[in-house]
PDB file of all heavy atoms in Angstrom:
ATOM      1  N   PHE A 888      11.150  -7.615   8.078  1.00 87.00           N
ATOM      2  CA  PHE A 888      11.045  -6.173   8.254  1.00 87.00           C
ATOM      3  C   PHE A 888       9.983  -5.648   7.302  1.00 87.00           C
ATOM      4  O   PHE A 888      10.114  -5.777   6.093  1.00 87.00           O
ATOM      5  CB  PHE A 888      12.385  -5.490   7.977  1.00 87.00           C
ATOM      6  CG  PHE A 888      12.342  -4.007   8.155  1.00 87.00           C
ATOM      7  CD1 PHE A 888      12.481  -3.451   9.413  1.00 87.00           C
ATOM      8  CD2 PHE A 888      12.131  -3.176   7.066  1.00 87.00           C
ATOM      9  CE1 PHE A 888      12.437  -2.079   9.577  1.00 87.00           C
ATOM     10  CE2 PHE A 888      12.079  -1.808   7.228  1.00 87.00           C
ATOM     11  CZ  PHE A 888      12.229  -1.255   8.482  1.00 87.00           C
ATOM     12  N   GLU A 889       8.932  -5.075   7.873  1.00 87.00           N
ATOM     13  CA  GLU A 889       7.764  -4.665   7.098  1.00 87.00           C
ATOM     14  C   GLU A 889       7.311  -5.874   6.291  1.00 87.00           C
ATOM     15  O   GLU A 889       6.952  -6.881   6.848  1.00 87.00           O
ATOM     16  CB  GLU A 889       8.064  -3.416   6.283  1.00 87.00           C
ATOM     17  CG  GLU A 889       8.308  -2.201   7.164  1.00 87.00           C
ATOM     18  CD  GLU A 889       8.626  -0.930   6.421  1.00 87.00           C
ATOM     19  OE1 GLU A 889       8.604  -0.914   5.173  1.00 87.00           O
ATOM     20  OE2 GLU A 889       8.906   0.059   7.105  1.00 87.00           O
ATOM     21  N   HIS A 890       7.375  -5.828   4.981  1.00 90.00           N
ATOM     22  CA  HIS A 890       6.940  -6.988   4.192  1.00 90.00           C
ATOM     23  C   HIS A 890       8.106  -7.652   3.449  1.00 90.00           C
ATOM     24  O   HIS A 890       7.900  -8.454   2.559  1.00 90.00           O
ATOM     25  CB  HIS A 890       5.833  -6.592   3.217  1.00 90.00           C
ATOM     26  CG  HIS A 890       6.199  -5.440   2.343  1.00 90.00           C
ATOM     27  ND1 HIS A 890       6.065  -4.144   2.747  1.00 90.00           N
ATOM     28  CD2 HIS A 890       6.731  -5.394   1.119  1.00 90.00           C
ATOM     29  CE1 HIS A 890       6.478  -3.348   1.794  1.00 90.00           C
ATOM     30  NE2 HIS A 890       6.897  -4.081   0.794  1.00 90.00           N
ATOM     31  N   PHE A 891       9.344  -7.314   3.833  1.00 94.00           N
ATOM     32  CA  PHE A 891      10.533  -7.905   3.216  1.00 94.00           C
ATOM     33  C   PHE A 891      11.072  -9.038   4.084  1.00 94.00           C
ATOM     34  O   PHE A 891      11.028  -8.972   5.304  1.00 94.00           O
ATOM     35  CB  PHE A 891      11.622  -6.844   3.017  1.00 94.00           C
ATOM     36  CG  PHE A 891      11.180  -5.678   2.184  1.00 94.00           C
ATOM     37  CD1 PHE A 891      11.141  -4.404   2.726  1.00 94.00           C
ATOM     38  CD2 PHE A 891      10.792  -5.846   0.865  1.00 94.00           C
ATOM     39  CE1 PHE A 891      10.734  -3.320   1.967  1.00 94.00           C
ATOM     40  CE2 PHE A 891      10.377  -4.770   0.094  1.00 94.00           C
ATOM     41  CZ  PHE A 891      10.355  -3.500   0.651  1.00 94.00           C
ATOM     42  N   ASP A 892      11.642 -10.057   3.442  1.00 94.00           N
ATOM     43  CA  ASP A 892      12.186 -11.192   4.188  1.00 94.00           C
ATOM     44  C   ASP A 892      13.389 -10.794   5.038  1.00 94.00           C
ATOM     45  O   ASP A 892      13.462 -11.123   6.210  1.00 94.00           O
ATOM     46  CB  ASP A 892      12.575 -12.330   3.243  1.00 94.00           C
ATOM     47  CG  ASP A 892      11.365 -13.093   2.730  1.00 94.00           C
ATOM     48  OD1 ASP A 892      10.324 -13.109   3.429  1.00 94.00           O
ATOM     49  OD2 ASP A 892      11.454 -13.667   1.633  1.00 94.00           O
ATOM     50  N   VAL A 893      14.355 -10.099   4.428  1.00 96.00           N
ATOM     51  CA  VAL A 893      15.544  -9.650   5.151  1.00 96.00           C
ATOM     52  C   VAL A 893      15.975  -8.305   4.581  1.00 96.00           C
ATOM     53  O   VAL A 893      15.926  -8.095   3.360  1.00 96.00           O
ATOM     54  CB  VAL A 893      16.717 -10.662   5.013  1.00 96.00           C
ATOM     55  CG1 VAL A 893      17.993 -10.125   5.662  1.00 96.00           C
ATOM     56  CG2 VAL A 893      16.342 -12.008   5.609  1.00 96.00           C
ATOM     57  N   ILE A 894      16.377  -7.421   5.484  1.00 96.00           N
ATOM     58  CA  ILE A 894      16.931  -6.133   5.049  1.00 96.00           C
ATOM     59  C   ILE A 894      18.267  -5.905   5.740  1.00 96.00           C
ATOM     60  O   ILE A 894      18.525  -6.433   6.823  1.00 96.00           O
ATOM     61  CB  ILE A 894      15.977  -4.946   5.341  1.00 96.00           C
ATOM     62  CG1 ILE A 894      15.636  -4.811   6.847  1.00 96.00           C
ATOM     63  CG2 ILE A 894      14.695  -5.086   4.544  1.00 96.00           C
ATOM     64  CD1 ILE A 894      16.472  -3.809   7.574  1.00 96.00           C
ATOM     65  N   TRP A 895      19.101  -5.128   5.075  1.00 96.00           N
ATOM     66  CA  TRP A 895      20.329  -4.628   5.690  1.00 96.00           C
ATOM     67  C   TRP A 895      20.279  -3.111   5.588  1.00 96.00           C
ATOM     68  O   TRP A 895      19.795  -2.557   4.603  1.00 96.00           O
ATOM     69  CB  TRP A 895      21.570  -5.100   4.958  1.00 96.00           C
ATOM     70  CG  TRP A 895      21.863  -6.564   4.993  1.00 96.00           C
ATOM     71  CD1 TRP A 895      21.196  -7.542   5.675  1.00 96.00           C
ATOM     72  CD2 TRP A 895      22.919  -7.219   4.289  1.00 96.00           C
ATOM     73  NE1 TRP A 895      21.777  -8.761   5.442  1.00 96.00           N
ATOM     74  CE2 TRP A 895      22.832  -8.593   4.598  1.00 96.00           C
ATOM     75  CE3 TRP A 895      23.918  -6.780   3.437  1.00 96.00           C
ATOM     76  CZ2 TRP A 895      23.722  -9.521   4.069  1.00 96.00           C
ATOM     77  CZ3 TRP A 895      24.798  -7.704   2.914  1.00 96.00           C
ATOM     78  CH2 TRP A 895      24.708  -9.061   3.232  1.00 96.00           C
TER      79      TRP A 895
END
Side-chain angles (χ1 to χ4, degrees):
F888 181 83
E889 294 179 4
H890 54 276
F891 302 117
D892 284 334
V893 175
I894 59 97
W895 294 356

